[in-house]
């Protein structure tokens, strides 16, 4: 009898784990990226562990078409109709993958932020609390945004670059870009005067980046197997070094300190910086704090009841949300700015053409015009500047990898597939979407003119495939702020300087969810344009070699 039961168990296991997924599953007709992908998840897990996921998936799509099978219950799509529009505009929920983006705890017991919330309804509730302060209308018309931009450019960034140009010093711009984007993000979120001030505070910047960047090599376990990782670590077996937890705690403590300063500034209008330092309202902090306070009033049977929360719990909920805003706002824009400066430095003719366009601004962004600065709407109206930013986002997406979702319980077809059952992990990745040569032409060439000279029809089609900020209800909430920040910084730099490459060793992008340069550095020479040079063709001074 026991032998029969064992044989039945073996037969059932063979059917469930091999015959069904390979031959009977609705996914069985979809081409597999690897010979084992139909019946085992180990191949795709190994691809992710060894950090070659983005390129591997892209090659699979080139070989097999718009939909490929990555595992027994996982698919990747690379199309708009039947792909992006179905998944990301169709309310597909997020999987456990996003647990890593919760904060102030180790997965179990940590606090969610909008990006980590898996269900659509609570995500929409949180999004409504703060989406208005990130709208294009508010960002462009905000006096606070204008003032913090003017102060960061004229008082911090441009003087630093001018000093380097005067002494012919080489500038390591990748770390500086992190400082710049962190100052922008933290100033808007917490108010200038409560911000990071990383452009000036080099020592604190170095500590922060050390904590932040060294975590990247250890994200696999929490991304792909968060619960198992937590269970294993809870019994004393460490899959992730202790110092990663320490680094996370330091980063979270830094954000919590900014929250406390923003809260105090709202109460007593105090600033920790000198009086001459420009101060602005903590726009996002104030909006979120007020919204969470109002949300504690819940209606039950038509009667509003106050749901009491401990002050420290509310404080940590605010900090968890804003920690995600700070990290995302700093990371993605810094990487984009690094590749924008790299491409511009490789293309002096584009620098010259942009400078001609920048001279049409009134006032221009030359340092001598400080504190006068063109409006955000004027900056946004420059077509070549816009094309440069868009092309950099296309070719060098800061987040090029898959954005996973789960199929709903109602059977759904993707890219011509049979109806799929619920719970299948599906995703698209910007890297592949942005390399559709039928839409973009020669995709491996950085060419801003593809946007600048495109017909209305071609531009519309490119925008359908452009996915640097995602799409649908979970599209990046800070995209308008990021675009404005990138345009202002680019315009300010090339209104005053030319740039040339000194050392771009390791400029190739990392293959991963977040994709900065492998060498984590880019050294440029900045050459100051004298007033009379701005009215004639740029004369490039040969850079000094390090």
């Amino acid at each position: 009898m026991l032998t029969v039961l064992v044989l039945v168990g073996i037969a059932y296991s063979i059917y469930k784990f091999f015959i069904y997924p390979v031959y009977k599953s609705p996914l069985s007709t979809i081409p597999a990226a690897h010979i084992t992908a139909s019946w085992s998840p180990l191949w795709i897990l190994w691809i992710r562990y060894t950090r070659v996921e983005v390129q591997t998936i892209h090659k699979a799509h080139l070989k097999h078409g718009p939909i490929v099978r990555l595992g027994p219950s996982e698919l990747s799509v690379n199309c708009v109709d039947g792909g992006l529009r179905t998944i990301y505009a169709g309310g597909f929920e997020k999987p456990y993958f996003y647990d890593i983006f919760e904060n102030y705890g180790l997965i179990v017991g940590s606090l969610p932020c909008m990006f980590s919330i898996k269900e659509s309804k609570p995500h929409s509730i949180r999004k409504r609390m703060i989406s208005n302060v990130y709208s294009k209308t508010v960002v462009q018309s905000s006096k606070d945004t204008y003032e913090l931009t003017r102060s960061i450019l004229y008082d911090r960034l441009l003087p630093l670059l001018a000093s380097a140009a005067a002494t012919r010093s080489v500038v390591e711009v990748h770390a500086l870009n992190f400082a710049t984007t962190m100052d922008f993000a933290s100033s808007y979120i917490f108010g200038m005067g409560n911000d990071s001030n990383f452009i000036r505070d080099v020592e604190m910047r170095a500590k922060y980046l050390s904590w932040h960047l060294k975590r990247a090599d250890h994200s696999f376990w929490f991304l792909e197997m968060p619960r198992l990782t937590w269970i294993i670590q809870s019994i004393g077996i460490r899959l992730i070094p202790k110092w990663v937890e320490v680094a996370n705690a330091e980063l979270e403590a830094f954000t919590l300190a900014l929250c406390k300063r923003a809260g105090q500034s709202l109460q007593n209008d105090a600033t920790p910086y000198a009086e001459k330092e420009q101060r602005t309202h903590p726009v996002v902090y104030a909006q979120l704090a007020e919204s969470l306070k109002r949300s504690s009033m819940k209606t039950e049977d038509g009667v509003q009841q106050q749901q009491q929360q401990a002050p420290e719990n509310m404080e940590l909920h605010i900090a968890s949300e804003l920690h995600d805003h700070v990290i995302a706002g700093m990371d993605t824009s810094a990487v984009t700015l690094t590749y924008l400066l790299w491409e511009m430095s490789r293309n002096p003719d584009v620098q010259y053409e942009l400078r001609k366009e920048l001279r049409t601004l009134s006032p221009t962004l030359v340092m001598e015009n400080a504190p006068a600065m063109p409006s955000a709407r004027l900056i946004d109206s420059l077509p070549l500047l816009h094309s440069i930013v868009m092309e950099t986002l296309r070719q060098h997406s800061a987040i090029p990898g898959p954005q996973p979702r789960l199929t709903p319980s109602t059977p759904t077809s993707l890219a011509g597939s049979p109806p799929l059952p619920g719970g299948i992990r599906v995703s698209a990745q910007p890297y592949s979407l942005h390399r559709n040569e039928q839409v973009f032409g020669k995709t491996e060439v950085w060419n801003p003119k593809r946007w600048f000279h495109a017909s209305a029809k071609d531009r519309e089609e490119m925008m359908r495939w452009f996915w640097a900020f995602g799409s649908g209800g979970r599209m990046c909430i800070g995209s308008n702020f990021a675009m404005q920040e990138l345009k202002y910084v680019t315009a300010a730099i090339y209104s005053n300087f030319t740039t040339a490459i000194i050392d771009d060793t390791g400029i190739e992008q990392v293959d991963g969810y977040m994709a900065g340069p492998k060498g984590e550095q880019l050294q440029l020479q900045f050459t100051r344009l004298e007033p009379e040079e701005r009215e004639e063709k740029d004369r490039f001074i040969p850079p000094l070699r390090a």
Side-chain angles (χ1 to χ4, degrees), residues 229-242:
T229 301
W230 184 84
I231 291 171
I232 291 175
Q233 294 206 159
S234 68
I235 61 175
I237 302 173
R238 300 204 65 84
L239 297 175
I240 298 171
K242 179 66 176 178

Side-chain angles (χ1 to χ4, degrees), residues 84 88 403 405 430 434 466-472 474-476 479:
L84 288 188
Y88 299 95
Q403 304 292 314
R405 298 290 189 269
H434 293 173
F466 181 78
W467 213 51
F469 297 113
S471 59
R474 292 182 182 264
M475 180 178 176
C476 172
S479 60

Side-chain angles (χ1 to χ4, degrees), residues 501-520:
I501 297 170
I502 296 297
D503 183 2
D504 62 355
T505 304
I507 195 63
E508 302 83 4
Q509 282 187 274
V510 170
D511 186 318
Y513 183 82
M514 187 73 198
K518 291 179 179 179
E520 295 182 357

Side-chain angles (χ1 to χ4, degrees), residues 197-209:
N197 200 26
F198 278 176
I199 294 176
R200 291 171 172 163
D201 193 345
V202 179
E203 182 179 356
M204 190 63 230
R205 177 215 304 177
K207 288 181 181 179
Y208 191 93
L209 289 181

Side-chain angles (χ1 to χ4, degrees), residues 4 123 137 147 170 183 239 287 383 463 489 529 534 536:
V4 173
H123 172 271
T137 300
E147 294 297 338
V170 174
D183 283 3
L239 297 175
Q287 174 72 18
M463 287 305 300
V489 173
L529 289 169
R534 299 190 188 112
E536 61 184 18

Side-chain angles (χ1 to χ4, degrees), residues 192-194 261 264-265 268-279:
M192 178 158 278
N194 307 311
R261 281 156 53 175
Q264 290 169 1
S265 71
N268 55 28
D269 199 36
T271 177
Y273 294 154
E275 291 184 4
K276 66 177 182 179
E277 176 72 29
Q278 177 65 50
R279 295 191 62 247

